[in-house]
């Protein structure tokens, strides 16, 4: 009996309890932060990421003022990205927006009509939507300018709503096929493509423009839950409706078993609920009569129903085939690396692999007569066999923002549109070479023509409001500079949380509460500094919030345990004292540190405790 009591006392020893509490806190924090959609930790990490970006910019600006050269792996801004801004100065000179399309075409003419074509830009993105028809003469000028330039990329915009009529869908799909012949979609897809958000309609450039462009991509972005743009959807899933089948409610199981789906061809089937959402039917359900019976009951309760010619209730089952459209940023990056979308491999949740990338190198920099050629992409002189762009399971890239909006910090090269739009400085297309300028200052660059005036296409980013073209520029810079952000493997994060919780449990169970709290604050401050340095120098985002919360919950839990159970032990000892000595002696014994009498009483109490 005494042996059991000793074991129980040993287990209840505060030093053991501290470790146990640490393990329990680790399990709870790890589960909430990594295995669930609990938003506290995710929101904290997103806010911290924004702070890392800002700290990096402030540190760079401070060191630049002091004349210090930073040796940093992370921050790199390509001088090959040039923003041509549709800005307030251009409005003063050319008139208010929207400009006629023949005015917009001038930037394409300026870039194309130079004496030596080696001084040309690599690509020019018109971050302007050309969905609606304008006067024919304007469209004719823009079409001819796109064709003359030969390096123009245009955008389409994706939407989740399925067009209502068959005629609309047929027209849209026929046009999409035309676009895919001009510029192929992504085809080498692996991973769970069903995890991608599905889009069912699109707005695309007018056919006359699309027929002469060099490439295109979608311009759709999605905010994080705090309404900040941090990620680019590099791979978008477009779901095309290919077939509709009415299944009789009374013969649901039998008729559904005759339906086949080919997931290897990116096919899937779905039904539409009363709220207008499509719900996918897993392929395994079609082979399971019991699952089909349950599905039938679900459809009866929640699906939109129809009737056949005999007025019998039917459920409409729709078949879709998915296509995978690159973002405009990915299309520009692939052009930079001399690749097309059908040449790259997409592994959802892991990476987009670009094999054997090449870059265009100016081998003779003579301004009047430069020469260049495609060469293997190199890093520190070594040819790069492949580039892996990290993406999540939704096909998104975490953008490595390089700084504030360029109208505040000059992060990217920015030139106003009007500098390329003065008709008196644009030669005629058939002008002799001597009338052509040597250069327009866009040599070997990716030019992004975009809105650059307050109130036009502004998006909330980690650096506050930024123009949409600048978000494109930051995403593009992340890829072409191979300046990707990474998170450590899950096991590393779990080990950090475990270490933090156990450390807090050990010190809080052995040291006074205030001292353990002070040590924890100090170490957390050191860890925060380490997190920033690792981000700054290695582009690695260590988890800060989960280990920190684990430390404080553990300390509070151990302190609470000590307060509750040590007070209980004091009361137990006090009660034992009253059996052997007078109350006058008990009170001093309860307050250690009051002279020799108190020490003798404490010694006597410990002997009684052991005998008990």
């Amino acid at each position: 009996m005494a042996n059991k009591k000793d074991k129980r006392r040993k287990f209840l020893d505060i030093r053991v309890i501290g470790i146990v509490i640490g393990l329990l806190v680790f399990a709870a924090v790890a589960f909430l932060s990594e295995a669930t959609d609990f938003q506290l930790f995710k929101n904290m990490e997103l806010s911290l990421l924004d702070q890392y970006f800002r700290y990096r910019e402030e540190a760079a600006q401070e060191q630049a003022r002091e004349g210090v050269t930073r040796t940093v792996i992370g921050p790199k801004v390509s001088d090959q990205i040039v923003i041509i801004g549709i800005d307030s100065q251009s409005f003063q000179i050319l008139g208010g927006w929207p400009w006629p399309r023949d005015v917009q075409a001038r930037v394409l003419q300026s870039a194309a009509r130079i004496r030596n074509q080696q001084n040309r830009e690599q690509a020019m993105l018109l971050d302007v939507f050309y969905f609606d028809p304008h006067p024919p003469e304007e469209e004719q000028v823009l079409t001819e300018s796109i064709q003359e330039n030969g390096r123009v990329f245009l955008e389409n915009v994706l939407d989740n709503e399925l067009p209502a009529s068959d005629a609309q869908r047929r027209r849209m799909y026929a046009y999409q096929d035309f676009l895919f012949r001009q510029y192929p979609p992504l085809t080498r897809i692996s991973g769970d493509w069903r995890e991608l958000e599905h889009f069912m309609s699109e707005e695309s450039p007018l056919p006359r423009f699309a027929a002469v462009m060099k490439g295109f991509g979608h311009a759709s972005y999605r905010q994080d839950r705090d309404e900040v743009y941090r990620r680019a959807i590099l791979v978008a899933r477009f779901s095309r409706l290919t077939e509709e089948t009415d299944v009789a409610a009374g013969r649901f199981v039998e008729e559904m078993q005759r339906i086949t789906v080919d997931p290897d061809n990116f096919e899937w089937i779905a039904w539409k609920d009363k709220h207008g959402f499509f719900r996918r039917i897993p392929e395994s359900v079609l082979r399971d009569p019991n699952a089909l019976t349950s599905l039938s009951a679900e459809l009866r309760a929640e699906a939109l129903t129809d009737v056949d010619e005999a007025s019998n209730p039917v459920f409409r089952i729709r078949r879709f085939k998915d296509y995978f459209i690159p973002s405009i940023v990915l299309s520009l990056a692939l052009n930079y690396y001399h690749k097309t979308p059908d040449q790259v491999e997409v592994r959802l949740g892991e990476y987009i692999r670009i094999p054997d990338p090449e870059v265009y190198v100016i081998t003779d920099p003579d301004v009047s007569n430069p020469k260049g050629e495609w060469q293997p992409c190199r890093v520190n002189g070594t040819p790069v066999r492949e580039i892996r762009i990290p993406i999540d399971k939704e096909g998104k890239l975490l953008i490595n923002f390089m700084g504030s909006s360029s109208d505040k910090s000059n992060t990217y090269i920015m030139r106003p549109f009007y500098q390329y739009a003065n008709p008196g400085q644009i030669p005629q297309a058939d002008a002799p070479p001597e009338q052509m300028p040597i250069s327009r200052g866009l040599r070997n660059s990716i030019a992004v023509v975009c809105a650059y005036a307050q109130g036009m296409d502004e998006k909330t980013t980690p650096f506050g409001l930024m123009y949409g073209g600048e978000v494109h520029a930051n995403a593009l810079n992340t890829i072409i500079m191979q300046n990707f952000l990474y998170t450590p493997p899950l096991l590393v994060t779990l080990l950090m949380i475990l270490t933090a919780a156990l450390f807090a449990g050990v010190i809080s169970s052995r040291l006074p509460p205030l001292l353990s709290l002070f040590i924890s604050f100090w170490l957390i401050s050191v860890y925060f500094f380490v997190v920033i340095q690792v981000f700054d120098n290695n582009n690695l985002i260590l988890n800060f919030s989960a280990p920190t919360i684990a430390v404080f919950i553990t300390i509070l839990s151990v302190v609470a345990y000590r307060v509750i159970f040590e007070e209980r032990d004091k009361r137990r000892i006090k009660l034992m004292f009253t059996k052997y000595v007078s109350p006058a002696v008990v009170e001093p014994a309860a307050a250690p540190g009051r002279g020799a009498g108190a020490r003798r009483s404490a010694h006597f109490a410990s002997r009684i405790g052991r005998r008990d």
Side-chain angles (χ1 to χ4, degrees), residues 142 170 199 233 283 338 368 578:
L142 182 58
R170 284 195 298 270
F199 298 94
I233 307 173
E283 295 83 24
H338 207 207
S368 60
T578 59

Side-chain angles (χ1 to χ4, degrees), residues 417-612:
F417 186 96
Y418 74 84
Q419 292 184 355
Y420 298 86
N422 186 343
Q425 296 178 359
I426 304 175
Q428 295 298 313
D430 57 353
E434 59 270 16
Q435 294 184 13
M436 300 283 186
I438 294 175
S439 172
R440 291 288 188 186
L442 297 175
R443 178 194 291 189
N444 206 25
S445 68
I446 302 170
V448 179
V449 182
C450 63
Y452 214 78
Q454 188 173 5
M456 292 182 66
D457 191 23
E458 291 180 302
K459 290 178 167 59
T460 304
T461 72
F463 286 100
L465 289 179
M466 192 174 285
Y467 301 112
E470 293 181 306
V471 177
H472 286 329
N474 277 282
L476 180 60
N477 185 80
T478 303
I479 298 174
I480 68 175
M481 298 303 290
Q482 300 174 47
N483 194 21
F484 306 117
L485 297 175
Y486 298 94
T487 55
L490 176 60
L491 180 60
V492 173
T493 301
L494 293 178
L495 285 174
M496 289 194 298
I497 300 172
L498 176 61
T499 301
L502 288 180
F503 170 78
V506 169
I507 65 168
S508 60
S509 62
R510 287 164 170 76
L511 300 176
L514 288 179
L515 179 58
S516 61
L517 200 59
F518 172 79
I519 293 174
S520 298
F521 269 116
W522 183 79
L523 287 176
I524 286 170
S525 300
V526 171
Y527 178 58
F528 184 70
F529 176 78
V530 170
V531 168
I532 290 176
Q533 293 304 312
V534 169
F535 174 81
D536 200 14
N537 292 281
N538 302 93
N539 284 353
L540 187 64
I541 306 171
L542 298 177
N543 191 308
F544 179 79
S545 59
T548 301
I549 290 177
V551 166
F552 286 115
I553 292 178
T554 302
I555 290 176
L556 291 175
S557 300
V558 172
V559 169
Y561 178 89
R562 291 178 67 172
V563 169
I564 294 171
F565 285 93
E566 287 185 3
E567 285 298 322
R568 189 190 68 177
D569 288 342
K570 286 180 182 178
R571 288 195 299 271
R572 182 174 64 84
I573 292 171
K574 199 172 181 181
L575 180 63
M576 287 189 297
F577 259 103
T578 59
K579 296 179 181 179
Y580 301 97
V581 296
S582 69
V585 178
V586 172
E587 292 304 325
R594 294 186 182 177
R599 288 195 294 272
R600 286 195 298 271
S601 298
H603 174 68
F604 182 53
S606 66
R607 292 182 60 190
I608 294 174
R610 286 198 298 272
R611 188 179 67 186
D612 183 64

Side-chain angles (χ1 to χ4, degrees), residues 67-209:
V68 178
T69 301
R70 305 181 80 208
T71 305
V72 178
I73 296 174
K76 300 175 183 177
V77 178
S78 172
D79 59 3
Q80 292 179 268
I81 299 175
V82 176
I83 295 174
I84 299 177
I86 302 172
D87 62 345
S88 55
Q89 285 182 288
S90 299
F91 292 149
Q92 292 173 8
I93 296 171
L94 303 174
W97 186 262
W99 295 324
R101 284 179 173 167
D102 53 348
V103 173
Q104 298 174 37
R106 293 177 190 173
V107 69
L108 307 181
Q109 299 165 0
S110 289
R113 296 173 188 175
I114 61 176
R115 190 178 309 170
N116 193 308
Q117 293 294 295
Q118 295 289 338
N119 273 323
R120 290 283 309 278
E121 73 285 1
Q122 281 193 37
M124 181 167 287
L125 166 63
L126 294 182
D127 189 25
V128 179
F129 299 137
Y130 294 104
F131 304 153
D132 302 317
H134 278 221
E137 60 276 11
E138 292 182 23
E139 293 193 354
Q140 182 64 26
V141 172
L142 182 58
T143 302
E144 292 174 354
S145 299
I146 293 173
Q147 187 170 24
E148 177 189 359
N149 184 283
R151 305 183 185 192
V152 175
F153 282 72
L154 299 177
E155 298 171 326
N156 66 347
V157 174
L158 304 175
D159 193 82
N160 301 102
E161 294 296 323
L162 182 69
S165 71
D166 291 340
Q168 287 177 311
R169 292 195 296 269
R170 284 195 298 270
R171 186 165 54 249
M172 181 178 64
Y173 298 155
Y175 184 32
Q176 190 178 67
D177 287 336
F178 166 74
L179 288 175
F180 289 163
R181 288 193 295 272
Q182 297 291 105
Y183 193 71
L186 298 159
T187 54
R188 300 169 60 189
I189 309 291
S190 61
D192 192 356
W193 46 272
R194 302 173 191 85
E195 289 284 338
L196 298 176
E197 176 184 3
H198 62 257
F199 298 94
M200 294 190 172
S201 65
E202 65 178 351
E203 286 190 278
S204 299
L206 295 173
R208 64 187 308 162
F209 303 144

Side-chain angles (χ1 to χ4, degrees), residues 236-256:
R237 170 190 172 197
F238 186 91
S239 299
R240 183 183 293 189
L241 178 63
T242 58
E243 184 182 357
E244 294 181 304
T245 304
D246 287 335
V247 176
R251 299 186 303 277
F252 184 80
V253 174
E254 295 83 353
E255 294 188 14
M256 287 293 293

